[in-house]
Structures are given as C-alpha cells and as structure tokens.
Amino acid sequence: MKLETIKEFLLTQYRIIISNKFGIFGAVIILFFCLIGLLAPLIAPNQTWDTLRDASGKLALLRPPSWEFLMGTTAMGRDILSQMLYATRTTVLIGLVSGLISIFIGANMGLLSGYYGGKVDEILMRFTDIIYGLPFLPFLIVLIALFGRSLWFVIIAICCIVWRTSARVIRSQTLTIKQRQFTLAAKARGCSNLRIIYGHIMPNILPLLLLYTAFNIAWSVLAEAGASFLGFGDPNNLSWGGMLYNLWISGKIRTAWWWFAPPAICIVLLVSALVFVSRAYEEAANPRLKQR
C-alpha cells in the first residue's frame, strides 16, 4: 500500500470520527486506555502480586484509598492501582487482537460467500450456522480442559465465535455491490475475481468493516471479562475480569467498593467508547441515520 493511500485512509477515518461528538469521546477513551496499556510497566508503582506494607511496617490488607495507596489494596495487600494498570494492558490486548482477527475471518467469509455464491455460499453459510450454535463458555471450558488456562486460548475461543455476525452482514452487502455497474465493468475488463473482491467490493464496504471491527472488539472485551470473572482467564495475566474474580473469591465484594469500582467502571467505559465509535462508522455506512 502506497504512503499516500495510507495517509488518505487515516484522514478519512479522522473525518468520520470528528463528525460525531460521541465518536470523538469514544476515540479519546480508547486512545487513553491504549496509552495506559503501553506505559503500564513504566508508571505502575508496584508489581501486580507484591504484598505491601504501610509506613509502620504492618501488612496493608484491604486498605481503602489513601495518599499512601491511591486506589487502596486487596485482601492480600496488593496495590489495586498497579493491578489496574497491568490489567488494562491485558484487556486491551485481548480486545484488539480478538477483534481484529475475528473481523478478518468474518470479512473474508462474507466477501467470498457473497461474491461466489452457489456451493461456496452454501458451505460457508452452513458453517456459519454451526458456529452460531456454538456457545462461548462451554467452548472455552473445553479448550481449558484440553490445553489449560492461557491468555491465547481465551483469544482463540473469542475469535472462533465473534466473527459470525460480521460474516453474514458483509455477505449481504457483497450480494448487493457485486451487481452494481462498476463491478460488472471490472468483470468485463477481465479483472480477476480476487481483484474485484478486494480492490472493488471491499473498499465500498469499508465503513461497515470498521463498524463491525469496533463491535467485535467490544464483544471481545465483554467475553474476556465474563470468562475471567468465572475463573476461566489466564491466572498469570491479570485483567479487569480477573480482578473482579479475585474480589469475588475473597468474599469482600459487598464491602471493598474501591476494589470493585475501578475494573467495573473501566469495562463500562471501554465498551461504551467502542459503541460510540461504531455509531460514527454506522452513520458513515448509512448517511440516512444523520437525518434522524
């Protein structure tokens, strides 16, 4: 891809985002969490699993927020601020990787199914129907039973499930676009099928692809939080859902509000931000929404 093409693409995305006030808010929140995730090892005051002591030398067990411990401590005396910073890194990584892989799978399934039709469409859509019948948590439990609790198996489980909705929507758009004049003209000029799919059809559904990319990342964040809260996350990579799981098994969920509030609020903020950004892309894909 040429440098000018990349610049034009980024400028287009910038224009889409700033055209919607909620999109601006969502983009700022997403960039903030990404920055926190990148800088976590540099700005975290303590290690995730360190047991802290206060100035008097006593174990800092279940301390509320103070100047000494800005977000308080857990029942094991661990710094919640440090855990939040590292957990942000894990959650954002899982969301981005799972969302991007799932939209790659869904986009290709939808494009190939919609363009070729016939037996290809039948096989790919029946496979999609099978995935629709596959529940996330039981599938994740099977993976854990076979391979153990791992960050990458959580990502694999999410990717295997999330792509299905985007595949169907992109297929329906491809069925429409392949009948338009510019696609028929490309066929008449002798363009290859792959060039028509990725050079003519895909650019015309790009706002839709970006819309479902945001949706897939949001769903991935929620799926990981739910899986970790139920104890199926990676014990070596703390996430927001993992923090809530540790709070639950400590039995302090009704009293330690400072332990519950940060991960819960961050999950709501990040998912809401992704929904706001997706709303901006939805308006770009369907300009009639702006008139409402």
Side-chain angles (χ1 to χ4, degrees), residues 9-31:
F9 172 77
L10 294 176
L11 184 60
T12 302
Q13 309 320 305
Y14 172 75
R15 288 169 179 165
I16 291 173
I17 295 297
I18 65 170
S19 66
N20 186 292
K21 59 183 179 181
F22 290 108
I24 297 172
F25 172 77
V28 170
I29 296 296
I30 293 168
L31 290 175

Side-chain angles (χ1 to χ4, degrees), residues 16 33 39-40 54 58 69 90 92 95-96 104 117-118 143 165 180 183 206 223 231 262 266 282 287 292:
I16 291 173
F33 281 125
L39 299 178
D54 59 20
K58 294 181 180 179
F69 309 108
T90 303
V92 170
L96 286 176
F104 175 80
L143 283 180
T165 301
R180 295 184 181 175
T183 307
L206 190 58
C266 285
E282 188 176 13
R292 295 181 182 179

